Amino acid sequence: VERTKKERRWGGEHTFIKAQLISDYVSTYGTALKEKGFETAYVDAFAGSGWNEIKSGAREEGVAIRVLKARYPLHRYVFGDLDPSALAALKVDVERLRAARAEEGLATPTPLYVLGDANQLVQSECDWVAADPNRRMVMFLDPFGMQVSRASIEKIASTRRIDLWVLYPIGQALIRLMAKGGDIPSGRVQALDDHLGPDWRSKFYAQPGLFGPQPGRDATIQEVAEFVQATFASTCGPGTHPRGLPLIRKGGLAFWLGFACTNPAPQAIALALKFANELIRRAQTPK
Ligand SMILES: C[S@@+](CC[C@H](N)C(=O)[O-])C[C@H]1O[C@@H](n2cnc3c(N)ncnc32)[C@H](O)[C@@H]1O
C-alpha cells in the first residue's frame, strides 16, 4: 500500500537529532573497530522509508541512508520494517545513493532488507551474533510505540556483544496508559507487561489490600521515565548509559533514547560509553 505524503509526516526536530546521533555512533564504531578483526553489523529493525518528513514540512535523510555513508563501513547492514511500502521506498533511495556515490568513485555497502516484525528480526540477528565469537553489532530499535518487547531486550542483552540504542515512547504511549489511576483495561495491562515486564504494576498501582482494592494513582512522566531507565539498566547490565537521551517535543518528554553496551568487558564498556556520552552531550547542545 503506497502511503500518502501526509502519512509519512511525523516526528519533530528530535527526529533529526536522533538520526544524527545514531549515524555518528555507527560511523565512530566502524572507525574504532576497523582493524580489530571483528565481523561487524548494523541492524535497524524499524528502518522506515529512508526519509523523515516532519510536520513542519522539512525533509531529511533517515538513519538507514545516513549509516551507509560511513568512511569505514561495517561488514553487514540489515534493514527491517513491517510495512512493505516503507521498505520498497527505502530500497529505491539506497539504490539512488549507491549510484550517486559510484559516480564519485565511492563504494556503498549493499544492505539486506527484511520484511516483518522487529521482534522476529531481533531474534534472528541475535542468533547471527551468537553463532561466531568474532561478531559484533550495533542495533537500533526506533518504533513509534510499544512494539519492542521486553523479551527482545533480554535476548539482545544475553548476546553480550551488541551495542543497543532503543527508543521508549514515554510521553507518546506509556504515560497515557499509566495515567488512568488503577483502572486499566486488561488488553493494556498485557501490552505494558509485554513491553516492560510486570514490575510496573507494583511500582505504580497499589495491590488489593486487606480492606479491598485500593485505588491506583497517576504516575508522573518523570517517574515513568525513571522506571523505564531502571528496568532497561537491570536487563542490560553495567554497560547501560546512566541517563540516555530524553527527546522533548512541545516542551514535554516524548521519547527516551536508551543506550547499552551489552558486552561486559570493561574496555568495551569504557569505549562505548565514551562515544555515547560525547554524542548525547552534543545532541543536547543547543544549535
Ligand atoms: C519511527 S519510524 C522509523 C524511522 C527510521 N528509523 C528513520 O530514521 O528514518 C518507525 C517504522 O517502524 C515500522 N514498524 C511499525 N511497527 C513495526 C514492527 N512491529 N516491526 C517492524 N517495523 C515496524 C513502521 O512501518 C515505520 O516505518
Side-chain angles (χ1 to χ4, degrees):
V1 195
E2 181 55 31
R3 290 187 302 174
T4 64
K5 210 170 168 193
K6 190 157 164 272
E7 281 172 324
R8 286 221 178 111
R9 283 190 179 188
W10 50 272
E13 287 307 317
H14 65 77
T15 302
F16 297 158
I17 292 171
K18 182 180 68 181
Q20 183 76 46
L21 185 155
I22 302 296
S23 53
D24 283 350
Y25 189 82
V26 176
S27 151
T28 309
Y29 186 90
T31 306
L33 268 58
K34 72 179 180 342
E35 276 155 10
K36 298 266 197 287
F38 296 126
E39 185 179 7
T40 54
Y42 171 73
V43 173
D44 187 336
F46 297 83
S49 63
W51 283 86
N52 294 322
E53 191 165 349
I54 62 170
K55 284 173 186 148
S56 67
R59 196 167 182 267
E60 275 199 21
E61 286 173 339
V63 177
I65 297 289
R66 293 175 190 231
V67 291
L68 297 177
K69 298 193 234 177
R71 171 124 187 246
Y72 298 104
L74 311 189
H75 296 102
R76 190 166 166 272
Y77 291 79
V78 183
F79 297 151
D81 204 287
L82 194 56
D83 176 355
S85 75
L87 267 194
L90 175 60
K91 223 172 189 170
V92 169
D93 284 344
V94 168
E95 286 315 311
R96 201 171 286 149
L97 175 76
R98 287 164 59 80
R101 283 170 58 88
E103 277 185 19
E104 294 172 40
L106 298 169
T108 310
T110 310
L112 301 171
Y113 301 91
V114 183
L115 182 64
D117 179 62
N119 295 291
Q120 278 172 16
L121 184 61
V122 166
Q123 296 292 319
S124 56
E125 288 302 317
C126 287
D127 291 343
W128 180 86
V129 172
D132 184 333
N134 227 26
R135 291 180 172 167
R136 296 289 182 278
M137 181 179 283
V138 178
M139 190 180 273
F140 178 39
L141 302 177
D142 185 25
F144 289 126
M146 292 162 49
Q147 288 87 356
V148 176
S149 73
R150 174 90 187 269
S152 287
I153 304 293
E154 283 166 355
K155 174 91 181 183
I156 293 163
S158 76
T159 67
R160 302 170 130 221
R161 267 184 258 133
I162 295 178
D163 284 9
L164 171 67
W165 290 93
V166 56
L167 201 72
Y168 281 92
I170 311 273
Q172 295 289 313
L174 293 175
I175 192 70
R176 289 188 201 151
L177 295 195
M178 288 184 173
K180 302 270 186 247
D183 202 13
I184 307 183
S186 61
R188 291 188 178 181
V189 168
Q190 188 61 50
L192 284 165
D193 280 358
D194 290 348
H195 186 52
L196 296 175
D199 295 350
W200 62 273
R201 302 187 201 189
S202 51
K203 168 88 184 161
F204 296 116
Y205 298 95
Q207 302 299 306
L210 199 55
F211 304 104
Q214 294 172 7
R217 67 180 176 85
D218 289 356
T220 67
I221 203 151
Q222 190 56 31
E223 286 172 322
V224 173
E226 280 166 15
F227 174 76
V228 166
Q229 160 92 60
T231 305
F232 180 67
S234 76
T235 309
C236 294
T240 305
H241 191 277
R243 294 176 310 282
L245 178 66
L247 293 165
I248 309 297
R249 190 155 106 194
K250 291 185 187 153
L253 178 64
F255 290 97
W256 177 75
L257 182 64
F259 174 75
C261 165
T262 67
N263 188 331
Q267 305 106 297
I269 292 180
L271 195 64
L273 289 184
K274 182 176 141 225
F275 295 155
N277 260 330
E278 168 59 20
L279 296 176
I280 287 172
R281 190 193 57 73
R282 216 186 286 168
Q284 291 176 308
T285 308
K287 295 278 171 317

